[in-house]
Amino acid sequence: LPPVVHVAGTNGKGSLIAFLRAILEAAGNKVHAYTSPHLVRFNERIRVSGELIAEDRLAQLLGQCEVVNDGRPITFFEITTAAALLAFARIPADIVLLETGLGGRHDSTNVVKRPVLTAITPVSIDHVQFLGTTLAEIAAEKAAIQKPGVTSVIGQQPPECLAVIEAQAKDVGAPLCRHGVEWGVSDVSDCVRVRMGANFRQFPAPSLHGPHQCHNAGMAVACLENLPGFGVTNQAIATGLTRTIWPGRLQRLAGGPLVSLLPAGWELWLDGGHNAAAGVALAAMARTWRDRPLHLVLGMLDSKDTGAFVRPLADYAKSAYCVAIAGQAASQTADQIASAARSAHIRAIPAESLEQAISDVVASEPAQARILICGSLYLAGVVLAWVKT
């Protein structure tokens, strides 16, 4: 494989990789990237030298992996990870950006013994059925991607998570570059100011929306500062930050059947966040949206805590119209979501479909308003599939 940057964490992994990919490509590098989940097509998970993997190549690689596996038990994520790594090993590139699927310790991506860099984005409560019920337990799973002698860049963490990550790094001998210690970031009007040690550098605001994306952008800069063999200029960083595209993450929709239901002047936004930390991040954006009423269209899987996700938004959302996610057997029902949202003190109304939810918001709101579809990456995928067709 080319040099590997291995990324774990709860929130922001995909955005960090998107920033890194855009910056490294702006600097002239060929980049492989493996992320999950996909929103519309599986191919989104595997980028080979900058391009989505082609259908025929993907089918060929999966077929070869099936032959080698010889009928033994294997999970969906395991075999697709094997296919991705096989593609990355066969096709030349300068670097691999590798995102964990779940946790880190037992994750399929953790077969890479010697990455060039590891990174752990903010850790929060999620996937408790697999990773543990406390922040410390979850952090221990994420921290297990750290390797001897390999620098680990750490995003902003709750104190109990940072303590676990630091202890694991000490045990394996991994140098640390921690948010709030070796690096920091601040959003200064239209700029991002990144501190590395005692030195400050200023870059244009990133193209991805939301205060949390300034943190992700700063973390990307911290990663690049600790990436040996890649001399990335400030100009390449600035270009990459302003060109980064990551669908379904606070994305304003400009077209499609749902936008066509809106009166002139309304806005429709989409975000795939689905846990408590994502709710906090969305609330930080909603705090800047005081110019018009905000209505939520909410869909969530039955493995997620709806109340924890929507509670931070209670002060900003005028209503939540709740929908089951089409085609997802694991979706909560509209009534279940509405009940949990009401418990979080949000006016919540079940709806039969996304179209009905949007139409009901429009019918109930006399002013120009903003609608945010949120609660699940699977729901985001349904919306984006419509936008693309």
Side-chain angles (χ1 to χ4, degrees):
L1 289 171
V4 173
V5 176
H6 198 190
V7 179
T10 304
N11 293 90
K13 299 189 299 294
S15 295
L16 174 62
I17 286 179
F19 280 127
L20 287 172
R21 181 168 64 84
I23 293 167
L24 287 163
E25 288 178 347
N29 297 283
K30 291 185 177 180
V31 182
H32 294 329
Y34 184 57
T35 57
S36 60
H38 61 278
L39 297 181
V40 181
R41 298 173 62 228
F42 175 85
N43 309 56
E44 298 166 27
R45 295 176 180 235
I46 304 173
R47 284 188 173 268
V48 180
S49 195
E51 302 294 330
L52 296 183
I53 192 166
E55 290 279 337
D56 56 350
R57 174 167 284 165
L58 176 61
Q60 180 186 41
L61 291 165
L62 286 169
Q64 291 172 4
C65 291
E66 288 280 16
V67 169
V68 172
N69 191 55
D70 195 26
R72 288 169 291 186
I74 191 166
T75 67
F76 170 86
F77 191 75
E78 285 169 343
I79 197 162
T80 54
T81 301
L85 295 176
L86 191 58
F88 298 160
R90 287 180 174 173
I91 299 162
D94 298 299
I95 193 166
V96 174
L97 305 177
L98 191 63
E99 179 187 352
T100 59
L102 275 177
R105 184 187 312 276
H106 301 298
D107 194 79
S108 305
T109 60
N110 207 25
V111 296
V112 177
K113 300 299 184 186
R114 183 74 183 179
V116 69
L117 185 76
T118 62
I120 303 175
T121 65
V123 174
S124 62
I125 295 291
D126 204 1
H127 301 298
V128 294
Q129 66 272 45
F130 300 109
L131 303 180
T133 57
T134 69
L135 281 173
E137 289 173 334
I138 295 170
E141 296 302 317
K142 312 283 187 181
I145 70 165
Q146 297 178 118
K147 300 293 188 296
V150 177
T151 298
S152 184
V153 178
I154 310 301
Q156 187 172 19
Q157 305 291 347
E160 57 266 54
C161 294
L162 183 59
V164 169
I165 292 167
E166 288 176 331
Q168 171 75 2
K170 183 178 180 180
D171 285 346
V172 302
L176 288 176
C177 180
R178 296 158 292 181
H179 175 272
V181 184
E182 289 81 12
W183 75 275
V185 62
S186 55
D187 180 6
V188 184
S189 62
D190 293 331
C191 300
V192 174
R193 196 165 184 241
V194 181
R195 176 184 63 81
M196 296 301 306
N199 300 316
F200 290 85
R201 296 156 73 186
Q202 192 161 292
F203 302 100
S207 54
L208 301 185
H209 298 282
H212 59 291
Q213 294 296 1
C214 292
H215 176 273
N216 292 331
M219 190 169 178
V221 175
C223 287
L224 292 164
E225 282 287 312
N226 288 278
L227 192 60
F230 290 81
V232 180
T233 65
N234 285 345
Q235 181 57 55
I237 294 172
T239 300
L241 291 180
T242 56
R243 289 183 181 175
T244 303
I245 298 172
W246 194 227
R249 282 74 175 180
L250 265 177
Q251 176 183 1
R252 184 176 176 183
L253 301 178
L258 296 180
V259 173
S260 69
L261 298 174
L262 299 179
W266 283 51
E267 293 180 8
L268 184 61
W269 291 72
L270 177 67
D271 189 83
H274 49 260
N275 55 33
V280 171
L282 289 177
M285 186 65 173
R287 197 174 299 123
T288 71
W289 276 346
R290 297 295 196 162
D291 58 316
R292 62 181 72 194
L294 173 65
H295 297 268
L296 307 180
V297 173
L298 188 60
M300 300 196 72
L301 296 183
D302 58 17
S303 59
K304 304 303 177 184
D305 186 341
T306 300
F309 172 71
V310 299
R311 201 167 290 119
L313 292 160
D315 290 338
Y316 308 104
K318 189 173 178 180
S319 72
Y321 285 78
C322 306
V323 298
I325 303 170
Q328 272 296 325
S331 173
Q332 295 183 41
T333 68
D335 287 331
Q336 287 172 329
I337 298 167
S339 176
R342 291 185 196 115
S343 297
H345 307 293
I346 295 178
R347 176 177 170 264
I349 305 97
E352 291 294 324
S353 65
L354 281 166
E355 300 98 318
Q356 184 197 326
I358 300 293
S359 297
D360 288 350
V361 172
V362 171
S364 71
E365 179 56 73
Q368 282 189 352
R370 182 177 285 112
I371 299 174
L372 173 62
I373 302 172
C374 59
S376 172
L377 282 167
Y378 294 94
L379 181 63
V382 170
V383 174
L384 291 176
W386 289 352
V387 170
K388 292 174 184 291
T389 53

